[in-house]
């Protein structure tokens, strides 16, 4: 029936700040940045993987009424509405050190898990991000 997931969405309060974080700190790349008049369609992706995009959406019309958008912004600001993203990396500890050096604040340091090594952080808007170094097969 379905053949792929092409877009995922998270809410951000400021799309320029989101670009600074996702592109400037996490090294994602801008896929699409188009003003549509009623909203800005802003997507990023892992370099070399344009087939899977993350929409960095500001809460508001046309998807939400202004009243609902205000409620979403308040919940997001409290950290109660954040989305979730999970990335993979070849070296979790090295990626952690690189991002730490760029001022990224972590919620959890790299930790050994049954599935590999992973750690956690939050973006400036409260969205939860994890990245994992998957366990090698046969390990």
């Amino acid at each position: 029936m379905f053949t792929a997931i092409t877009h995922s969405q998270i809410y951000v309060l400021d799309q320029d700040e989101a670009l600074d974080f996702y592109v400037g700190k996490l090294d994602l790349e801008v896929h699409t940045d188009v003003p549509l008049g009623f909203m800005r369609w802003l997507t990023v992706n892992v370099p070399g993987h344009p087939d899977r995009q993350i929409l960095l959406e500001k809460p508001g019309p046309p998807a939400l009424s202004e009243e609902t958008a205000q409620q979403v912004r308040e919940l997001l600001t409290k950290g109660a509405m954040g989305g979730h993203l999970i990335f993979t990396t070849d070296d979790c500890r090295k990626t952690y050190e690189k991002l730490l050096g760029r001022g990224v604040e972590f919620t959890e340091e790299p930790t050994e898990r049954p599935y590999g090594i992973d750690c956690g952080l939050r973006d400036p808007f409260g969205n939860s991000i994890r990245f994992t170094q998957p366990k090698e097969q046969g390990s």
Side-chain angles (χ1 to χ4, degrees):
M1 202 160 126
F2 299 111
T3 60
I5 296 173
T6 61
H7 293 73
S8 298
Q9 175 270 1
I10 58 172
Y11 284 122
V12 298
L13 297 176
D14 181 303
Q15 289 175 308
D16 290 325
E17 186 179 356
L19 274 180
D20 181 55
F21 181 79
Y22 284 95
V23 175
K25 293 190 178 183
L26 299 189
D27 286 342
L28 299 185
E29 61 186 20
V30 175
H31 184 281
T32 307
D33 188 355
V34 178
L36 299 176
F38 55 89
M39 71 175 288
R40 178 181 178 189
W41 185 265
L42 176 62
T43 65
V44 296
N45 58 266
V46 171
H49 296 278
D51 53 324
R52 179 71 194 266
Q53 300 168 46
I54 303 164
L55 173 63
L56 304 174
E57 184 177 5
K58 196 171 175 181
L64 304 172
S65 70
E66 187 48 47
E67 180 183 350
T68 301
Q70 182 57 38
Q71 293 169 339
V72 169
R73 288 190 290 271
E74 289 170 8
L75 289 171
L76 191 58
T77 301
K78 292 177 184 178
M81 177 77 193
H84 300 275
L85 299 172
I86 302 173
F87 297 97
T88 57
T89 182
D90 292 330
D91 188 331
C92 186
R93 289 184 176 89
K94 184 177 178 181
T95 302
Y96 170 82
E97 291 298 331
K98 182 178 184 177
L99 295 180
L100 203 58
R102 293 179 178 177
V104 172
E105 295 181 29
F106 283 81
T107 56
E108 187 177 355
E109 295 179 357
T111 304
E112 296 275 346
R113 308 271 185 208
Y115 51 83
I117 304 168
D118 83 347
C119 62
L121 61 122
R122 292 203 187 283
D123 76 2
F125 315 102
N127 294 298
S128 176
I129 300 171
R130 299 197 73 78
F131 56 88
T132 302
Q133 175 184 336
K135 194 174 204 171
E136 293 182 26
Q137 294 293 339
S139 298

